[in-house]
mmCIF file of all heavy atoms in Angstrom:
data_model
loop_
_atom_site.group_PDB
_atom_site.id
_atom_site.type_symbol
_atom_site.label_atom_id
_atom_site.label_comp_id
_atom_site.label_asym_id
_atom_site.label_seq_id
_atom_site.Cartn_x
_atom_site.Cartn_y
_atom_site.Cartn_z
ATOM 1 N N LYS A 446 298.116 69.056 -91.297
ATOM 2 C CA LYS A 446 298.962 69.138 -90.100
ATOM 3 C C LYS A 446 298.234 68.572 -88.881
ATOM 4 O O LYS A 446 298.817 67.799 -88.096
ATOM 5 C CB LYS A 446 299.317 70.621 -89.855
ATOM 6 C CG LYS A 446 300.666 70.790 -89.164
ATOM 7 C CD LYS A 446 301.079 72.257 -89.099
ATOM 8 C CE LYS A 446 301.851 72.504 -87.822
ATOM 9 N NZ LYS A 446 301.987 73.940 -87.545
ATOM 10 N N ALA A 447 296.944 68.925 -88.746
ATOM 11 C CA ALA A 447 296.157 68.394 -87.633
ATOM 12 C C ALA A 447 296.050 66.883 -87.742
ATOM 13 O O ALA A 447 296.106 66.158 -86.741
ATOM 14 C CB ALA A 447 294.774 69.042 -87.609
ATOM 15 N N GLU A 448 295.858 66.386 -88.987
ATOM 16 C CA GLU A 448 295.781 64.943 -89.228
ATOM 17 C C GLU A 448 297.074 64.235 -88.838
ATOM 18 O O GLU A 448 297.042 63.198 -88.183
ATOM 19 C CB GLU A 448 295.586 64.732 -90.746
ATOM 20 C CG GLU A 448 294.173 64.752 -91.186
ATOM 21 C CD GLU A 448 293.508 63.442 -90.868
ATOM 22 O OE1 GLU A 448 293.774 62.430 -91.511
ATOM 23 O OE2 GLU A 448 292.691 63.438 -89.927
ATOM 24 N N ALA A 449 298.200 64.864 -89.215
ATOM 25 C CA ALA A 449 299.517 64.263 -88.909
ATOM 26 C C ALA A 449 299.705 64.180 -87.401
ATOM 27 O O ALA A 449 300.307 63.252 -86.888
ATOM 28 C CB ALA A 449 300.620 65.065 -89.569
ATOM 29 N N LYS A 450 299.174 65.172 -86.697
ATOM 30 C CA LYS A 450 299.330 65.219 -85.241
ATOM 31 C C LYS A 450 298.604 64.055 -84.567
ATOM 32 O O LYS A 450 299.134 63.455 -83.627
ATOM 33 C CB LYS A 450 298.781 66.562 -84.718
ATOM 34 C CG LYS A 450 299.611 67.109 -83.537
ATOM 35 C CD LYS A 450 299.138 68.485 -83.132
ATOM 36 C CE LYS A 450 298.785 68.492 -81.673
ATOM 37 N NZ LYS A 450 297.908 69.605 -81.308
ATOM 38 N N THR A 451 297.392 63.736 -85.007
ATOM 39 C CA THR A 451 296.678 62.637 -84.374
ATOM 40 C C THR A 451 297.173 61.286 -84.882
ATOM 41 O O THR A 451 296.888 60.264 -84.272
ATOM 42 C CB THR A 451 295.148 62.733 -84.573
ATOM 43 O OG1 THR A 451 294.890 62.870 -85.957
ATOM 44 C CG2 THR A 451 294.552 63.870 -83.821
ATOM 45 N N GLY A 452 297.942 61.274 -85.955
ATOM 46 C CA GLY A 452 298.501 60.019 -86.443
ATOM 47 C C GLY A 452 297.520 59.227 -87.274
ATOM 48 O O GLY A 452 296.359 59.603 -87.423
ATOM 49 N N ASP A 453 297.996 58.107 -87.788
ATOM 50 C CA ASP A 453 297.195 57.297 -88.690
ATOM 51 C C ASP A 453 296.382 56.283 -87.862
ATOM 52 O O ASP A 453 296.894 55.220 -87.489
ATOM 53 C CB ASP A 453 298.140 56.592 -89.661
ATOM 54 C CG ASP A 453 297.358 55.826 -90.728
ATOM 55 O OD1 ASP A 453 296.178 55.537 -90.499
ATOM 56 O OD2 ASP A 453 297.949 55.552 -91.787
ATOM 57 N N ALA A 454 295.145 56.620 -87.566
ATOM 58 C CA ALA A 454 294.286 55.776 -86.714
ATOM 59 C C ALA A 454 294.150 54.385 -87.311
ATOM 60 O O ALA A 454 294.202 53.378 -86.600
ATOM 61 C CB ALA A 454 292.927 56.421 -86.525
ATOM 62 N N VAL A 455 293.958 54.329 -88.630
ATOM 63 C CA VAL A 455 293.750 53.038 -89.292
ATOM 64 C C VAL A 455 294.981 52.146 -89.115
ATOM 65 O O VAL A 455 294.877 50.963 -88.743
ATOM 66 C CB VAL A 455 293.458 53.228 -90.800
ATOM 67 C CG1 VAL A 455 293.226 51.909 -91.462
ATOM 68 C CG2 VAL A 455 292.235 54.125 -90.978
ATOM 69 N N ALA A 456 296.178 52.735 -89.289
ATOM 70 C CA ALA A 456 297.420 51.956 -89.165
ATOM 71 C C ALA A 456 297.633 51.476 -87.745
ATOM 72 O O ALA A 456 298.000 50.328 -87.512
ATOM 73 C CB ALA A 456 298.597 52.796 -89.660
ATOM 74 N N VAL A 457 297.377 52.357 -86.757
ATOM 75 C CA VAL A 457 297.571 51.988 -85.364
ATOM 76 C C VAL A 457 296.680 50.811 -84.996
ATOM 77 O O VAL A 457 297.122 49.820 -84.411
ATOM 78 C CB VAL A 457 297.252 53.187 -84.412
ATOM 79 C CG1 VAL A 457 297.197 52.732 -82.961
ATOM 80 C CG2 VAL A 457 298.311 54.283 -84.561
ATOM 81 N N LEU A 458 295.395 50.902 -85.370
ATOM 82 C CA LEU A 458 294.470 49.859 -85.004
ATOM 83 C C LEU A 458 294.745 48.551 -85.762
ATOM 84 O O LEU A 458 294.590 47.459 -85.217
ATOM 85 C CB LEU A 458 293.029 50.330 -85.215
ATOM 86 C CG LEU A 458 292.602 51.431 -84.234
ATOM 87 C CD1 LEU A 458 291.237 51.981 -84.621
ATOM 88 C CD2 LEU A 458 292.577 50.928 -82.794
#
Side-chain angles (χ1 to χ4, degrees):
Chain A
K446 209 172 146 195
E448 272 281 288
K450 215 175 125 199
T451 53
D453 186 340
V455 180
V457 169
L458 292 173

